[in-house]
Amino acid sequence: NAGVTQTPKFQVLKTGQSMTLQCAQDMNHEYMSWYRQDPGMGLRLIHYSVGAGITDQGEVPNGYNVSRSTTEDFPLRLLSAAPSQTSVYFCASSRGGHEQFFGPGTRLTVL
Amino acid sequence: GQQLNQSPQSMFIQEGEDVSMNCTSSSIFNTWLWYKQDPGEGPVLLIALYKAGELTSNGRLTAQFGITRKDSFLNISASIPSDVGIYFCAGNSNYQLIWGAGTKLIIKP
């Protein structure tokens, strides 16, 4: 099992550009989520999904979109990147939303 | 939004010492989780707690789910160099994990 995979590992964007962060898991987990981590802070939930076709907002959803067309994939879209979105982004999956397994992260810089 | 207060923010300890950190919340959680994060990596689950009063061990790590369901602590016994990292607590509420700000563990040479 590859577990939770994320691509790209690093990304630099200019303000206003859009992009999609990819996340995939091969554990057949129903629950998937996206977090951002800023220096000196814990993780903050952006969006989550409890199954294919179902998504919901977390604590900091503004500026981000998600979709869940398959159990395996949960991409995160930045619509118009802003410097405030410079962060490390983590994707996680779990069977029931409790014991979440994390990917290695995407380090995003917005200039 | 909900907040978890995690303390201490950082700890400088000697190898072999015991370590204790805790998390408190103004809200009740059904699940408490403890994670460790190494530099450049995603968090890795150490211990999950599901019942108030539960005491669970994982090797040298012991964690407890507070009776009030608003707090949890993590102890590490006889610390070793590979224990260095950032430890996070997280509480589960309606499929959403709420995270503490982390405790950075540094081992003095």
Side-chain angles (χ1 to χ4, degrees), chain B residues 6-101:
Chain B
Q6 187 172 350
S7 64
Q9 200 168 16
S10 60
M11 301 182 74
F12 291 79
I13 61 168
Q14 299 275 11
E15 184 177 347
E17 286 184 352
D18 295 344
V19 171
S20 185
M21 59 191 79
N22 69 82
C23 265
T24 60
S25 168
S26 56
S27 304
I28 289 173
F29 290 111
N30 295 320
T31 306
W32 280 93
L33 303 150
W34 285 92
Y35 285 83
K36 179 179 183 241
Q37 187 176 29
D38 292 324
E41 306 282 334
V44 174
L45 182 66
L46 298 173
I47 293 179
L49 302 158
Y50 292 99
K51 284 169 54 175
E54 179 182 354
L55 186 71
T56 298
S57 293
N58 178 8
R60 293 179 296 106
L61 278 60
T62 302
Q64 184 157 30
F65 191 147
I67 287 289
T68 65
R69 293 163 65 192
K70 292 183 177 181
D71 62 331
S72 178
F73 73 76
L74 175 71
N75 285 345
I76 305 172
S77 63
S79 57
I80 60 177
S82 61
D83 290 336
V84 163
I86 303 177
Y87 292 79
F88 290 98
C89 61
N92 189 296
S93 175
N94 294 327
Y95 293 110
Q96 300 189 37
L97 282 188
I98 309 299
W99 293 74

Side-chain angles (χ1 to χ4, degrees), chain A residues 9 31 35 37 40-45 48 50 57-59 90 96-105 107, chain B residues 2-3 9 31 33 35 37 39-45 48 50 88 92 94-102:
Chain A
K9 199 163 177 62
Y31 182 94
Y35 295 88
Q37 185 176 34
M41 297 180 69
L43 282 73
R44 289 185 292 168
L45 183 64
Y48 66 100
V50 299
Q57 295 181 350
E59 181 186 356
F90 289 101
H98 299 286
E99 300 177 22
Q100 296 188 20
F101 294 88
F102 283 81
R107 282 136 191 88
Chain B
Q2 291 176 310
Q3 297 269 334
Q9 200 168 16
T31 306
L33 303 150
Y35 285 83
Q37 187 176 29
E41 306 282 334
V44 174
L45 182 66
Y50 292 99
F88 290 98
N92 189 296
N94 294 327
Y95 293 110
Q96 300 189 37
L97 282 188
I98 309 299
W99 293 74

Side-chain angles (χ1 to χ4, degrees), chain A residues 45-56:
Chain A
L45 183 64
I46 304 171
H47 286 283
Y48 66 100
S49 168
V50 299
I54 307 168
T55 64
D56 208 344

